[in-house]
Amino acid sequence: MSSNQPPPLVDYNLFDSDLPLRESFEREGASWAHDLVHELGRLAGTQQAIDWGFQANANPPMLHTHDRFGERIDEVEFHPAWHDLMKVAVGHGLHALPWREPRPGAHAARAAGFYIWSQVEGGHGCPVSMTYAAVPALRKEKTLAALWEPLMTTLAYDPGLRPATKKRGVLFGMAMTERQGGSDVRANTTRAVPAGSDGEHLLTGHKWFCSAPMCDAFLVLAQAPAGLSCFLLPRVLPDGTRNRFHIQRLKDKLGNRSNASSEIELDNAPAFLVGEEGNGVKTIIEMVNHTRLDCVIGSASLMRQAVAQATHHAAHRQAFGKLLSEQPLMVNVLADLAVESEATTILMMRLAGAFDRSSDPEEAHFRRLAVAVGKFWTCKRAIAVVAEALECHGGNGYVEESILPRLYREAPLNSIWEGSGNVNALDVLRAMGREPESVNAFFTEIDAARGADPRHDRAVEELKRELSNREDLESRARRLVERMAVVLQSSLMLRYGDPAAAELFCSSRVDRDWGHTFGTLRSGGNLKSVIERHRPRFQ
Ligand SMILES: Cc1cc2nc3c(=O)[nH]c(=O)nc-3n(C[C@H](O)[C@H](O)[C@H](O)COP(=O)(O)OP(=O)(O)OC[C@H]3O[C@@H](n4cnc5c(N)ncnc54)[C@H](O)[C@@H]3O)c2cc1C
């Protein structure tokens, strides 16, 4: 064994070794799913699953536009490791748990499972997330839902392009973004021409970013006679012929290499109206709300894996005669990272819980605002956390085999997708303007920690003052949303977090006794205990 090289972080249970997750899991009513998530935690720590993650990224998908006879096939071939990852994800219901088992805590249970399994590999989470998110949007069209939902919610991963009726399980994607506009989907130029009495239309146009193009069907936005509308577009038509969904090329992109993102052309492609014609954004926003939750889960997952790796590394690597985990400045960095990870995990589970309880109007209002606030902040923080955790490994963190480069490349995506930072921050303003009840629900949650810490109480008052100032709101949106996120997290940390971590959160993030980089906590706190709480243990 080489001297002074840490043992690989393998054969540990990602659920068991994650105290903030386990505590939130119980609190949000997901304990009935313990065995499922515990098993995912075990699997995620095995060498085999870790290998799948590396193999799927070392062997990117390949596009085959035509067969040997020159006929279009528009197929993407994935490495077997991708299919192994997908089989576990779908087999454990990460694409459908709350729709299969609509019981209290189901979104929270799924969030925990998705967070754990995404730590193995992020790319395959994309179709898993989109399938989960498509169900509530599709339910706006009962006939289509009756046909597709049973297939979207089976535990069978059944890849390959065949008609829905010939499949044991299907996956969904989404296609909104076009060359001339992504955030501004109203600029979509894809046209939908009515072609039948059952909502059938023919779609012609392009989509500039269409991820996971081997999904069985897509929710697509297109301009119908009454305006922008949402359609279900199957890749294979009921008679077994391929729909005219032509993959132009795969994107050569930052981020994971396992998943395919494509540019597509639709050429009179049959698709079916979902929801009211002209109300496409309102329809697809149901899907977007759920994928936004997944952006928070994905960010929490990246942070957790980065912090697990960094705390593990530092506990085994020495420099200047001492373990890194004993060096006071490294202790400061690791504790600061752990605090951020804990605050994110707790927020993620609280948001998932709000999806579970959204039949309660108060929770629905909270969800509307808090998901937008949480997505903006956690996606941004993940980038900084992963970069710093990478540096904790020194040069070893720069090497692909350490997983840190993969996490680093993946980190910016969640902030771009489903509402890039600015658009997301502006959406928070929109939610507050259009749905004042969401502001009340948000403050009810924040106020629940009143009296627990004077720094939190002061921050709440300051936030209220900031929000009542209507001047230059748009320009101040990021500043406001950042503060809303921090105060929401402090409320959660004070009530549910590790007291030592909550104290550090308040002194740094809330009271701003902090620098601009991680590792700038005021010294003297109980930093080592915070790190130990976050360091994964072997079984
Ligand atoms: C890996 C990957 C996979 C993707 N997969 C899919 C997919 O499967 N389906 C799909 O439909 N899309 C997908 N997308 C596209 C993604 O959703 C868009 O890139 C995103 O919505 C931003 O749109 P845009 O790229 O057109 O940027 P633009 O809309 O041009 O925005 C550029 C920048 O301007 C900012 N901005 C925009 N409006 C304002 C404003 N009013 N004020 C201030 N700033 C503003 C944005 O925040 C952003 O930072 C994917 C993207 C990536 C990177």
Side-chain angles (χ1 to χ4, degrees), residues 468-487:
S468 63
N469 172 8
R470 314 300 295 168
E471 214 170 297
D472 276 341
L473 259 189
E474 226 178 276
S475 168
R476 288 164 50 225
R478 279 187 180 229
R479 209 182 147 91
L480 287 172
V481 178
E482 269 193 35
R483 214 49 201 156
M484 289 171 80
V486 166
V487 178

Side-chain angles (χ1 to χ4, degrees), residues 78-311:
F78 288 88
H79 188 267
W82 164 272
H83 297 297
D84 289 328
L85 291 162
M86 288 296 299
K87 206 180 294 170
V88 172
V90 173
H92 288 77
L94 300 184
H95 65 307
L97 186 65
W99 321 128
R100 289 175 53 81
E101 293 189 59
R103 55 192 280 191
H107 285 281
R110 178 206 168 255
F114 191 58
Y115 158 101
I116 284 173
W117 191 242
S118 299
Q119 289 181 56
V120 173
E121 206 285 312
H124 78 291
C126 172
V128 172
S129 170
M130 291 193 291
T131 305
Y132 156 69
V135 169
L138 192 57
R139 283 181 178 173
K140 300 212 165 152
E141 203 58 57
K142 289 198 167 42
T143 333
L144 290 176
L147 172 68
W148 288 89
E149 189 177 326
L151 293 167
M152 296 165 86
T153 52
T154 64
L155 299 183
Y157 172 58
D158 188 8
L161 294 179
R162 296 189 302 286
T165 48
K166 300 238 158 52
K167 297 204 65 165
R168 290 179 297 123
V170 298
L171 296 171
F172 266 58
M174 74 197 313
M176 299 196 285
T177 309
E178 296 189 1
R179 266 195 288 281
Q180 73 285 352
S183 311
D184 186 6
V185 289
R186 291 188 188 277
N188 272 196
T189 57
T190 296
R191 291 188 51 238
V193 177
S197 54
D198 56 352
E200 186 172 348
H201 286 64
L202 296 177
L203 269 49
T204 302
H206 79 282
K207 294 289 167 184
W208 183 235
F209 263 101
C210 179
S211 293
M214 286 302 280
C215 284
D216 298 280
F218 291 80
L219 292 189
V220 181
L221 288 182
Q223 302 285 359
L228 195 63
S229 309
C230 179
F231 296 90
L232 184 158
L233 188 142
R235 284 227 52 198
V236 181
L237 299 170
D239 65 5
T241 56
R242 301 257 160 122
N243 206 345
R244 291 179 287 278
F245 171 110
H246 300 318
I247 304 175
Q248 303 294 86
R249 60 173 171 166
L250 300 187
K251 300 275 198 193
D252 183 8
K253 59 182 167 54
L254 182 74
N256 65 75
R257 296 263 146 195
S258 61
N259 189 16
S261 292
S262 63
E263 294 165 17
I264 59 165
E265 291 280 344
L266 304 174
D267 173 17
N268 273 312
F272 301 87
L273 184 66
V274 181
E276 241 177 88
E277 188 177 324
N279 258 343
V281 174
K282 202 170 157 209
T283 304
I284 211 161
I285 209 76
E286 271 301 313
M287 180 170 187
V288 172
N289 282 337
H290 289 76
T291 44
R292 282 185 177 170
L293 171 67
D294 280 7
C295 291
V296 176
I297 301 172
S299 298
S301 164
L302 284 165
M303 288 191 214
R304 168 61 194 159
Q305 179 60 202
V307 168
Q309 294 286 349
T311 50

Side-chain angles (χ1 to χ4, degrees), residues 454-494:
R455 293 165 296 191
H456 174 75
D457 296 351
R458 277 199 301 276
V460 176
E461 290 313 314
E462 186 195 313
L463 177 61
K464 283 183 176 164
R465 274 196 304 279
E466 285 263 344
L467 287 173
S468 63
N469 172 8
R470 314 300 295 168
E471 214 170 297
D472 276 341
L473 259 189
E474 226 178 276
S475 168
R476 288 164 50 225
R478 279 187 180 229
R479 209 182 147 91
L480 287 172
V481 178
E482 269 193 35
R483 214 49 201 156
M484 289 171 80
V486 166
V487 178
L488 174 58
Q489 285 186 320
S490 77
S491 170
L492 296 169
M493 286 290 279
L494 285 167

